[in-house]
Amino acid sequence: MTMYEQVLGEQFERLHKRMQQRYRFNQATFIGKGKMDIVENKWWLRPFLYLATKRRLMFPEHGKNIPFEVKNTLNVEKNEVYWERKFFIGGKMRYFDANMKWNEQTRVVDDFLGYPSPLYSSLCFQVQPCGGLKIVSGRQALLIGKHELEIPSFLQVKAEVYEQFDEKIDRFRIKVKVRNRLIGTLFTYEGTFIDE
């Protein structure tokens, strides 16, 4: 049983069948390819977003119909999934990576963002009426060596992910939005992909 089945419980069966297959991991690796639209961010955020590229965590470029690849690798023994998201943009490869781990003590999924990860967030999962999945970030902390420094709520970077399977086009749809309460939107992309 994957962490997604554990955290959703009976709700997992309400997911669209293709979403169930995706998050049940019948194979150890899922690869999806498609195109994404990346919304332009505030110009004064670009230096920060450029620094984030060093940790495979967000980036300053934007555009439409950007070639995209997502690779999810399941580690059964550790009950964790590494998310590698690649964006091929402007002759560069940009990443937005994360490592999700099941926390047996808290019974939630812990999300370690970037690589090496400078940031931790707990995640909340909700099945949508369309059979899709909404994922929202919760508690956050900076990772400094072996220590965690909790981030005050007004400084936290909140992420919302919506993913569903669209039967009309036989593809997965996804929308990701990362924002801060004071600054507003930091990073947004949306588009479609198909599993290989």
Side-chain angles (χ1 to χ4, degrees):
M1 182 180 290
T2 67
M3 70 179 83
Y4 308 109
E5 293 173 275
Q6 288 175 283
V7 76
L8 287 170
E10 293 180 358
Q11 285 191 67
F12 190 86
E13 299 302 321
R14 289 174 42 214
L15 287 171
H16 187 281
K17 294 299 181 186
R18 291 291 296 275
M19 290 288 289
Q20 289 185 35
Q21 291 170 10
R22 167 152 164 59
Y23 284 91
R24 188 169 273 139
F25 284 92
N26 295 326
Q27 297 180 352
T29 302
F30 172 93
I31 296 176
K33 292 184 178 181
K35 297 284 181 72
M36 296 291 149
D37 292 342
I38 305 169
V39 177
E40 185 174 4
N41 35 56
K42 298 175 177 70
W43 64 269
W44 50 270
L45 282 173
R46 289 176 193 160
F48 163 76
L49 293 171
Y50 177 75
L51 286 174
T53 65
K54 307 299 182 186
R55 294 292 187 101
R56 297 168 73 117
L57 178 65
M58 298 188 293
F59 47 87
E61 291 86 359
H62 59 90
K64 290 188 176 294
N65 292 315
I66 305 300
F68 167 82
E69 179 179 311
V70 59
K71 181 179 180 182
N72 301 138
T73 306
L74 172 67
N75 184 321
V76 178
E77 291 180 6
K78 294 183 178 180
N79 201 1
E80 62 185 48
V81 177
Y82 190 82
W83 289 66
E84 181 182 59
R85 304 174 187 95
K86 297 178 185 177
F87 300 81
F88 303 90
I89 181 167
K92 300 174 183 175
M93 189 182 298
R94 294 300 196 197
Y95 298 88
F96 186 40
D97 289 2
N99 196 28
M100 294 186 188
K101 301 181 181 182
W102 175 248
N103 189 322
E104 191 63 46
Q105 291 182 325
T106 60
R107 307 290 294 175
V108 300
V109 174
D110 293 338
D111 195 20
F112 295 85
L113 299 159
Y115 182 81
S117 179
L119 181 66
Y120 150 87
S121 176
S122 61
L123 295 177
C124 176
F125 290 75
Q126 300 171 345
V127 176
Q128 302 298 288
C130 65
L133 190 60
K134 178 182 178 182
I135 307 172
V136 181
S137 60
R139 174 186 171 269
Q140 292 182 357
L142 286 174
L143 302 174
I144 304 168
K146 294 183 179 179
H147 304 285
E148 289 186 11
L149 180 63
E150 189 142 0
I151 301 172
S153 60
F154 70 95
L155 290 177
Q156 290 186 11
V157 176
K158 293 291 185 180
E160 286 190 2
V161 178
Y162 296 88
E163 185 178 330
Q164 68 180 85
F165 187 79
D166 189 334
E167 292 183 345
K168 292 179 181 177
I169 60 172
D170 199 34
R171 297 175 75 87
F172 293 93
R173 286 191 178 276
I174 189 164
K175 181 174 183 178
V176 176
K177 187 172 186 177
V178 182
R179 64 186 313 277
N180 170 267
R181 196 165 81 189
L182 298 178
I183 296 171
T185 301
L186 301 174
F187 185 70
T188 299
Y189 69 88
E190 63 179 305
T192 65
F193 62 93
I194 190 70
D195 52 323
E196 291 207 326

